[in-house]
Amino acid sequence: MMLPLLPQDMRFSKIGEQLSGGSGIETLMEDLGQALSGKHPAPLMLGGGNPAHIPEIEAIWKQKLQTIANSQDLLRRTLSIYDPPRGNPSTLEALANLINTVFHWNITPENIAVTPGGQTAFFLLFNLLSGTRSDGSMGRILFPSIPEYIGYANQAAEPGSFTTLRPDILQTGPHQFRYSINLAAVEETKDISAICLSRPTNPSGNVVDDSTLHHLAHIAQERGIPLLIDNAYGKPFPNILFRDVTPPWNASTVHVLSLSKLGLPGTRTAFIIGPPKIAKAVQSMMAVAGLANTNIGQSVITDLLTDHSIIPICNNIITPFYRAKRDHALAVAQQQFDDHLPYAFHETDGALFLWLWLKDSPLPAHDIYLRLKEKGVLVVPGEPFFFGPAAADWNHARECIRISFAMENSVVERGLTLIGTELSKIYRSPSP
Ligand code: PLP
């Protein structure tokens, strides 16, 4: 007689093991969820990627939801029908028009596909573009500058699908530095099927300058491979950018825009804008994996895309809001951190984070994170942002932590003060 199978004997596929084996992003989302759930004493939450709750912006969502609730037709379209897998045709049309007006590109809905958030967009794109091809050759995604977004690290279904490069590190002030992409190293990297970067970069707040990005776009076009640009914080929305940039566009660029950092992460809505072949492939993958997309984000945003009011909303409310938060956080850190400590922040040109480099840190970042958590302040240790071959044996990868400045100023102040105090102790004597 066969014994019944025990649950722990259940077997997963290789892909299942790869995707369910735990990741930095899962730990981050768990920590964030626990801290905000109220089950445990809420620490000072400087760890997550949650956007701020900006009252003027929340008022816009409220008004849009009321408009939807007051119209039987809109309500049905939002809650009670399946959209086509590519997305709502009116939303796609409105986004194409907006992009053509703002950037003077010449795109149509054929260039766009909706996904349930940028995270899913990259999952689909990476697995479309990397891994073993039908002729047996292997496609690899190149991340030209790590640290990069923690959420990419575990997304490839096939091991070996990612390759990475170290940037040059430029010291730009007594307590300030920036990363710079090594273009010669990119040129030398062969056998790649796409190049990918976030701009602004999560975690560093770097905004790769136009000439470097246009150079990358040129390399990608010459090789006939996509350049994937993650605009989670970028242009035209949410525009959490503190320097002006012009996004590149050619036959092989793919931009991913998301509604999350506008203040709508709960709607899970993003747009891939790229060559029709890629938009079509993403549409097909979405149909298989999800049938259709969520409608609510598209319903809330479409009018703002159609009349272009999303642009002044971003430029006049969102950008200045986060600029002030960044300035405040840097001023507090400067005040609270001992000037003699060898710390440096990456120049924050965009996004929601200070990226702190603790040079020659006596403790790895993960230990510092645990120590800070114990004291009641939650940050994100840097190690999981350094992935792929370039991360190996790089001391810098143990010396950084990410600190969000999106929370209320009082939380940021108390958090940074605690971090400053703890760092002084750590540099004096690493053991608690
Ligand atoms: N890309 C970057 C750089 C991010 O920081 C995030 C979220 O924090 C995402 C993508 C995914 O965002 P979402 O799936 O909410 O659009």
Side-chain angles (χ1 to χ4, degrees):
M1 198 182 74
M2 269 201 12
L3 290 171
L5 197 68
L6 296 172
Q8 61 266 33
D9 293 330
M10 252 181 236
R11 296 192 59 201
F12 291 158
S13 66
K14 251 162 97 174
I15 291 181
E17 281 172 5
Q18 167 83 2
L19 296 178
S20 67
S23 62
I25 192 71
E26 188 181 347
T27 311
L28 167 66
M29 294 309 280
E30 271 290 321
D31 255 3
L32 186 95
Q34 295 288 355
L36 298 178
S37 71
K39 283 197 195 124
H40 301 277
L44 299 165
M45 183 56 200
L46 307 185
N50 230 55
H53 305 304
I54 307 175
E56 297 96 310
I57 299 293
E58 289 189 316
I60 296 171
W61 309 145
K62 195 168 174 185
Q63 190 246 314
K64 290 289 164 203
L65 285 176
Q66 275 161 354
T67 309
I68 293 168
N70 290 337
S71 152
Q72 192 60 35
D73 178 45
L74 276 179
L75 192 65
R76 272 201 191 134
R77 274 199 272 144
T78 305
L79 298 182
S80 311
I81 58 149
Y82 289 114
D83 262 347
R86 185 183 282 250
N88 186 295
S90 320
T91 312
L92 301 179
E93 192 71 49
L95 181 61
N97 288 338
L98 177 88
I99 294 288
N100 290 338
T101 309
V102 175
F103 296 143
H104 311 291
W105 302 350
N106 190 16
I107 63 166
T108 72
E110 299 269 287
N111 296 95
I112 309 176
V114 177
T115 62
Q119 186 73 17
T120 306
F122 282 95
F123 180 76
L124 298 176
L125 288 168
F126 292 153
N127 289 300
L128 180 69
L129 297 166
S130 71
T132 309
R133 303 189 188 96
S134 49
D135 66 359
S137 64
M138 176 83 180
R140 292 186 308 159
I141 313 280
L142 169 67
F143 297 89
S145 174
I146 54 165
E148 252 301 353
Y149 173 48
I150 189 172
Y152 303 146
N154 298 74
Q155 285 203 312
E158 204 175 317
S161 293
F162 287 172
T163 190
T164 51
L165 291 172
R166 290 180 195 180
D168 296 327
I169 299 182
L170 316 175
Q171 184 86 37
T172 55
H175 290 294
Q176 188 178 282
F177 75 105
R178 62 180 306 124
Y179 296 123
S180 170
I181 292 182
N182 182 341
L183 286 168
V186 175
E187 301 262 17
E188 280 161 23
T189 309
K190 305 291 176 231
D191 299 327
I192 52 172
S193 51
I195 301 173
C196 177
L197 76 165
S198 55
R199 188 206 204 208
T201 307
N202 175 358
S204 60
N206 194 8
V207 172
V208 172
D209 63 85
D210 278 346
S211 87
T212 304
L213 195 61
H214 286 265
H215 195 138
L216 288 177
H218 179 70
I219 295 174
Q221 192 173 26
E222 268 194 331
R223 297 193 191 185
I225 61 173
L227 171 65
L228 312 176
I229 304 170
D230 184 346
N231 289 289
Y233 306 88
K235 263 188 160 181
F237 52 80
N239 202 29
I240 308 177
L241 269 168
F242 315 127
R243 62 190 280 189
D244 197 28
V245 294
T246 308
W249 178 246
N250 65 36
S252 50
T253 30
V254 178
H255 289 267
V256 177
L257 310 180
S258 166
L259 299 188
S260 293
K261 312 301 172 179
L262 274 174
L264 294 172
T267 70
R268 312 306 305 128
T269 313
F271 305 97
I272 289 171
I273 304 179
K277 183 172 174 174
I278 287 191
K280 171 71 180 67
V282 168
Q283 164 192 321
S284 303
M285 293 169 97
M286 265 315 300
V288 170
L291 198 58
N293 277 286
T294 51
N295 302 7
I296 184 93
Q298 296 175 78
S299 282
V300 166
I301 210 72
T302 300
D303 283 352
L304 304 179
L305 301 177
T306 305
D307 66 10
H308 298 182
S309 55
I310 191 72
I311 303 296
I313 287 172
C314 293
N315 295 351
N316 301 336
I317 303 174
I318 294 184
T319 315
F321 176 89
Y322 284 106
R323 187 193 293 274
K325 301 287 282 179
R326 175 207 54 181
D327 293 347
H328 169 258
L330 280 173
V332 173
Q334 206 172 19
Q335 226 171 33
Q336 298 298 334
F337 286 22
D338 180 346
D339 198 42
H340 296 101
L341 295 182
Y343 77 87
F345 286 107
H346 193 284
E347 288 181 26
T348 311
D349 296 332
L352 324 172
F353 316 106
L354 299 184
W355 180 244
L356 174 61
W357 176 20
L358 300 168
K359 283 189 223 169
D360 306 318
S361 172
L363 290 179
H366 192 261
D367 290 5
I368 297 178
Y369 148 77
L370 290 176
R371 219 155 122 167
L372 291 172
K373 191 170 163 182
E374 187 93 335
K375 301 280 168 192
V377 56
L378 211 57
V379 296
V380 183
E383 287 94 336
F385 296 92
F386 295 85
F387 53 86
D393 304 323
W394 192 16
N395 233 12
H396 181 67
R398 305 164 54 257
E399 296 178 338
C400 300
I401 60 177
R402 195 191 77 178
I403 302 167
S404 166
F405 54 73
M407 293 300 177
E408 300 90 72
N409 283 357
S410 60
V411 173
V412 174
E413 271 161 37
R414 278 156 55 217
L416 282 169
T417 305
L418 245 157
I419 295 170
T421 309
E422 210 51 32
L423 288 182
S424 299
K425 286 190 204 157
I426 289 169
Y427 273 99
R428 230 179 294 127
S429 151
S431 38

